[in-house]
Amino acid sequence: MLGQLAGVWQTRPEKDWKSIAQRKQQERLALLPSKWIIDPSQLPADSTLDVTELCDKLDWMNKEELRITGLSVVELAAAIRDGRYSVLTVIEAYSHRATIAQQLVNP
């Protein structure tokens, strides 16, 4: 069986890995909500190693999203329990931040 599989892999033409990677990056980007896509000109240089504070410094997220994602777990649970934030609002804030993080660390 393994011999048969090895033969299949050997008979397939090799594709340029860079074009495959570029296509996959474009496919991944297409899955992100368009309203949260960062203009490539706003992304930091590839040499930037620490991107943890960029959301706070740049206007990619609104103040409420920054406030929500800056809360501790205990504070966030209390805010949801007290009705200050809906679960939907919290999910959207964290999804937005995750979308930004995806673009920053895996362009």
Side-chain angles (χ1 to χ4, degrees), residues 26-40:
Q26 291 169 345
E27 289 172 2
R28 182 187 62 223
L29 187 63
L31 294 172
L32 302 177
S34 59
K35 65 182 180 181
W36 294 339
I37 301 294
I38 300 169
D39 186 292

Side-chain angles (χ1 to χ4, degrees), residues 74-85:
V74 174
E75 293 169 324
L76 185 58
I80 293 170
R81 183 189 63 235
D82 297 343
R84 284 182 280 161
Y85 298 119

Side-chain angles (χ1 to χ4, degrees), residues 9 11-21 23-24:
W9 291 111
T11 59
R12 291 188 179 168
E14 294 259 340
K15 291 188 177 182
D16 175 31
W17 69 269
K18 289 182 180 180
S19 64
I20 294 170
R23 180 174 46 85
K24 290 298 183 181

Side-chain angles (χ1 to χ4, degrees), residues 41-57:
S41 67
Q42 293 184 323
L43 293 172
D46 290 342
S47 60
T48 304
L49 299 178
D50 185 359
V51 296
T52 54
E53 296 181 9
L54 286 179
C55 282
D56 299 331
K57 292 179 180 176

Side-chain angles (χ1 to χ4, degrees), residues 51-61 66 97 100-101 104:
V51 296
T52 54
E53 296 181 9
L54 286 179
C55 282
D56 299 331
K57 292 179 180 176
L58 302 172
D59 63 349
W60 293 334
M61 297 176 71
L66 289 171
R97 193 167 194 117
I100 291 170
L104 290 174

